[in-house]
Amino acid sequence: MITHLRGKLVEKNPTYAIVECNGIGYFLNISLHTFSLLKDEENIFIYTDLLVKEDSHTLFGFAERAEREVFRLLISVSGVGASTARTMLSSLSPADVRDAIANGDVPTIQSVKGIGAKTAQRVILDLKDKILKVYDIGEVSQQSNNTNKEEALSALEVLGFTRKQSEKVVDKVLSQDTSLSVENIIKQALKNL
């Protein structure tokens, strides 16, 4: 219904902004990302999303169109409300959220306060295909340490170790040094298995 506002920035706070348009003040819930991008200029342009519920009409503001699109995708996931989506966009940039979903990066999404493993997995499961399609990303290239990790895990499985057991040790090894080669990951892992 209300897709954007152009008006006078009356008040700016890390969680909200008030924009006056033709004598009407609009209260906008914003993320820290938008807060950091809003200039202290008098006249601003801001994208919005109006959430209508039985008991409230809540207006959210976004400095960039991309952030609004990610917000809309996030709130489409069962169990992810507007406040959780806003928290995600305050903790991570829209590009970080998009890339984490496209790469299936559960730990990054789970690093957001209030998001557990199940919610992070549901976000990725529900949105990965949409993100790849909307942003026209081919399968996103994994970081080299992820391919090294996969090769090391495969080698350890061939050596007779279970994947679950190997993964814990390999993650521990990579947390100390992410630039290790496949051979060094395997050597370090074997010392700890």
Side-chain angles (χ1 to χ4, degrees), residues 65-179:
R65 180 180 276 152
E67 184 182 13
R68 181 176 65 183
E69 298 311 314
V70 171
F71 176 83
R72 287 176 172 168
L73 285 171
L74 288 171
I75 62 174
S76 72
V77 176
S78 172
V80 177
S83 61
T84 303
R86 183 169 73 161
T87 302
M88 284 180 78
L89 291 166
S90 291
S91 303
L92 304 166
S93 73
D96 291 341
V97 173
R98 183 189 68 214
D99 293 345
I101 292 168
N103 286 319
D105 188 354
V106 174
T108 297
I109 293 173
Q110 203 177 335
S111 70
V112 176
K113 186 178 186 294
I115 294 192
K118 284 185 180 177
T119 303
Q121 289 165 348
R122 190 178 316 116
V123 166
I124 289 169
L125 187 68
D126 288 1
L127 298 181
K128 186 171 185 174
D129 291 339
K130 289 179 187 173
I131 290 275
L132 294 173
K133 202 177 293 174
V134 169
Y135 290 96
D136 197 26
I137 306 172
E139 274 302 314
V140 176
S141 60
Q142 299 284 336
Q143 298 163 339
S144 62
N145 69 358
N146 285 348
T147 51
N148 288 352
K149 174 183 171 180
E150 287 304 315
E151 287 179 35
L153 287 171
S154 296
L156 290 167
E157 277 183 284
V158 170
L159 293 172
F161 296 99
T162 65
R163 184 159 185 98
K164 195 172 188 178
Q165 178 186 18
S166 302
E167 199 157 10
K168 286 181 183 173
V169 175
V170 169
D171 285 341
K172 187 177 176 185
V173 168
L174 285 172
S175 70
Q176 294 165 357
D177 184 4
T178 57
S179 64

Side-chain angles (χ1 to χ4, degrees), residues 5-13 16-21 24-28 30 34-35 37-46:
L5 296 174
R6 184 184 306 276
K8 179 181 175 184
L9 181 63
V10 177
E11 191 176 336
K12 181 176 104 168
N13 199 298
Y16 70 88
I18 298 175
V19 178
E20 185 180 318
C21 301
I24 299 172
Y26 292 91
F27 183 94
L28 302 168
I30 60 172
T34 292
F35 175 75
L37 293 176
L38 279 182
K39 306 285 185 259
D40 288 327
E41 298 168 357
E42 193 165 301
N43 290 318
I44 65 163
F45 180 88
I46 191 162

